[in-house]
Amino acid sequence: MNEDWVLYEVFIRSRSGLEHKHVGSLHAADARMAIEHARDTYTRRQEGVSIWVVRSSDIVASDPAEAEELFEPARDKVYRHPTFYAIPEDVKNI
Amino acid sequence: MYTQALDSPGGAAAADAHERERLERFQERIDRDEKIEPKDWMPEAYRQTLIRQIAQHAHSEVVGMLPEGNWITRAPSLRRKVVLIAKVQDEGGHGMYLYSAAETLGVSRGELIEQLLSGRAKYSSIFNYPTLTWADIGAIGWLVDGAAIMNQIPLCRCSYGPYARAMVRICKEESFHQRQGYEIMLTLSRGSAAQRAMAQDALDRWWWPSLMMFGPSDAHSVHTAQSMRWKIKRFSNDELRQKFIDVTVPQAEFLGLAVPDPDLRWDESAQHYVPGPIDWSEFHAVLKGEGPCNRERLEARHAAHEAGRWVREAAAAFAEKHQEPLRAAQAG
């Protein structure tokens, strides 16, 4: 059984001025082929002006089991949002 | 599942309780309409159900290129030809999105391809029918892609994130497929007597197989109840089939073509079309490998896989030689 090519994650910038966004993954023998396959697979309808490919094995991700300790602490810090502060209607431009 | 846990000290009861609790928490997440992502814990049966369904879906897209590819060199005009090439290329792309989604569940691309080539994996029964005339290309786009859209739109809300995202992408592209098919049927049905007859013949042959695409009726569908509980499926086979019939019959009437079902009638009180009985023996025969083109389709996949072998090997050898990463592309 032949081995699969390396798995790459694909990120596309949909137009200049916007960030690259993850769109999916694909297999390729090398990075150049990954770009070419990404172009054929993910940009057949002008979805992008720039492509990033990253080996999936190079991505370090947070563990879903740790989601609570990572993200919960932000929940009770509502004072980080502008709507936390009551300003009289008469005050303008703030 | 998780039988290895039973060997641990503390025994089966503790492991069972722990397992039950995890299952309950998982179901609560589903009930809250949370999406499940690849690294989240999931029951093994949920994982296996998704692998089976997504892989079958991927195989269907890839095998689905064959009946239409059959007409690329014989398309009646350059416009029809570029459209058909684009459509067939889309189907290949859909297969790629779906294989990628399946791989997030821990199955390898190689295994999936191997399952297709060895005949162990199933793909949609519809692609085992031949494309005998140009009108079949119209009928496939209109009916087969139309049925596929009906099936796929609810899958955009599937509980498994990568599958749902792949489906959003696919559904966006699928609409062009159906419209180009209907346009072919419209042109033929407004054409000469011979063209109209060709369109009618295509509808006659594709109507029933299209209805069977939704799968066995609810009473005989083995997986439906659990898949609905897990929100992999949102509607039952019969509900989707009914929706398809209700939207498609008026489209056939507009073409001036007759749906090949003598029992079909409009039920005014229910506001639905009621079709005649479906011949499920045909469906099961095609699934078992006895359809008109089962053998031909698999042979074509084998031939493509073998013919591409030297390309894959050459690319791998080239990559081995030039390990230098592509810096230019990374600069983006």
Side-chain angles (χ1 to χ4, degrees):
Chain A
M1 193 60 229
N2 46 357
E3 257 186 38
D4 284 339
W5 284 336
V6 177
L7 188 65
Y8 286 87
E9 299 300 320
V10 181
F11 299 79
I12 305 269
R13 185 200 293 286
S14 57
R15 53 192 167 81
S16 67
L18 295 180
E19 67 277 53
H20 286 77
K21 206 173 150 195
H22 184 246
V23 293
S25 58
L26 48 76
H27 290 274
D30 58 26
R32 175 178 295 276
M33 187 194 271
I35 295 274
E36 285 163 3
H37 283 184
R39 177 242 186 214
D40 287 345
T41 308
Y42 293 106
T43 65
R44 290 195 301 282
R45 289 176 176 76
Q46 298 179 291
E47 288 93 336
V49 295
S50 167
I51 300 170
W52 286 353
V53 292
V54 181
R55 281 172 174 256
S56 307
S57 57
D58 286 343
I59 291 183
V60 182
S62 63
D63 182 351
E66 291 168 4
E68 213 162 295
E69 54 188 278
L70 284 176
F71 308 115
E72 268 308 278
R75 182 182 276 186
D76 57 4
K77 297 182 175 57
V78 284
Y79 49 84
R80 287 183 169 159
H81 296 279
T83 45
F84 181 72
Y85 304 92
I87 305 286
E89 291 242 349
D90 298 340
V91 184
K92 300 297 176 200
N93 300 315
I94 185 162
Chain B
M1 52 191 178
Y2 293 105
T3 44
Q4 71 272 28
L6 302 182
D7 301 333
S8 61
D16 276 358
H18 177 62
E19 178 71 11
R20 250 201 319 278
E21 198 199 311
R22 286 216 282 191
L23 283 171
E24 270 168 31
R25 250 183 292 148
F26 179 80
Q27 190 61 49
E28 283 163 15
R29 291 193 63 193
I30 300 268
D31 294 343
R32 283 197 301 268
D33 267 333
E34 276 181 40
K35 295 288 180 199
I36 308 301
E37 293 295 341
K39 299 185 83 178
D40 296 346
W41 183 85
M42 61 186 86
E44 195 50 28
Y46 177 83
R47 183 188 299 278
Q48 293 307 329
T49 299
L50 276 168
I51 290 177
R52 194 193 62 242
Q53 180 172 334
I54 301 173
Q56 281 180 11
H57 197 161
H59 299 325
S60 302
E61 300 283 357
V62 170
V63 175
M65 291 194 282
L66 297 167
E68 293 182 287
N70 181 36
W71 278 89
I72 288 177
T73 57
R74 292 175 287 170
S77 70
L78 184 59
R79 178 177 182 275
R80 295 289 189 209
K81 188 169 182 161
V82 294
V83 167
L84 187 54
I85 290 172
K87 178 180 189 298
V88 171
Q89 193 195 14
D90 272 357
E91 307 297 1
H94 296 176
M96 297 305 112
Y97 306 153
L98 289 162
Y99 281 131
S100 289
E103 285 176 87
T104 63
L105 292 157
V107 64
S108 78
R109 180 78 59 108
E111 282 171 70
L112 295 171
I113 303 288
E114 164 60 24
Q115 286 169 6
L116 172 64
L117 293 177
S118 68
R120 273 180 300 139
K122 290 196 174 74
Y123 55 85
S124 178
S125 57
I126 195 80
F127 301 116
N128 289 315
Y129 292 87
T131 42
L132 304 177
T133 72
W134 171 251
D136 289 8
I137 301 304
I140 288 179
W142 170 37
L143 300 172
V144 175
D145 289 277
I149 290 171
M150 236 8 131
N151 244 323
Q152 288 168 351
I153 286 180
L155 287 174
C156 296
R157 294 190 294 127
C158 160
S159 60
Y160 187 58
Y163 191 27
R165 292 192 286 275
M167 292 318 307
V168 168
R169 190 173 287 277
I170 288 172
C171 284
K172 272 189 202 161
E173 301 184 353
E174 205 76 64
S175 164
F176 129 64
H177 297 178
Q178 192 189 17
R179 291 172 67 110
Q180 66 85 37
Y182 194 76
E183 192 197 69
I184 291 172
M185 295 302 277
L186 194 57
T187 305
L188 291 173
S189 66
R190 302 286 184 267
S192 66
Q195 286 172 317
R196 275 199 304 281
M198 191 192 278
Q200 180 63 56
D201 168 62
L203 174 56
D204 289 347
R205 282 181 292 108
W206 291 95
W207 175 255
W208 291 106
S210 298
L211 296 191
M212 293 176 200
M213 278 177 71
F214 295 95
S217 74
D218 297 347
H220 301 105
S221 178
V222 239
H223 306 297
T224 294
Q226 181 61 67
S227 285
M228 303 253 285
R229 206 151 39 237
W230 278 331
K231 296 191 182 167
I232 294 173
K233 245 177 137 149
R234 298 276 182 161
F235 298 97
S236 75
N237 295 351
D238 286 337
E239 284 171 323
L240 291 168
R241 189 171 11 249
Q242 184 63 53
K243 274 192 190 188
F244 175 75
I245 293 170
D246 287 340
V247 303
T248 308
V249 170
Q251 293 168 354
E253 281 168 2
F254 185 85
L255 295 172
L257 300 177
V259 171
D261 178 356
D263 299 325
L264 182 76
R265 60 182 176 81
W266 173 250
D267 181 338
E268 184 60 39
S269 62
Q271 292 289 301
H272 286 302
Y273 286 98
V274 183
I278 293 176
D279 176 10
W280 289 111
S281 62
E282 176 181 325
F283 174 75
H284 291 296
V286 175
L287 269 195
K288 264 199 313 198
E290 294 157 17
C293 299
N294 292 58
R295 182 190 295 247
E296 190 184 327
R297 298 297 183 234
L298 266 195
E299 279 172 4
R301 286 315 312 157
H302 273 280
H305 194 68
E306 287 310 315
R309 185 180 293 282
W310 72 269
V311 180
R312 294 192 296 277
E313 287 173 358
F318 183 85
E320 184 81 12
K321 219 165 126 183
H322 304 266
Q323 288 248 324
E324 190 70 4
L326 192 67
R327 306 246 178 249
Q330 289 175 348

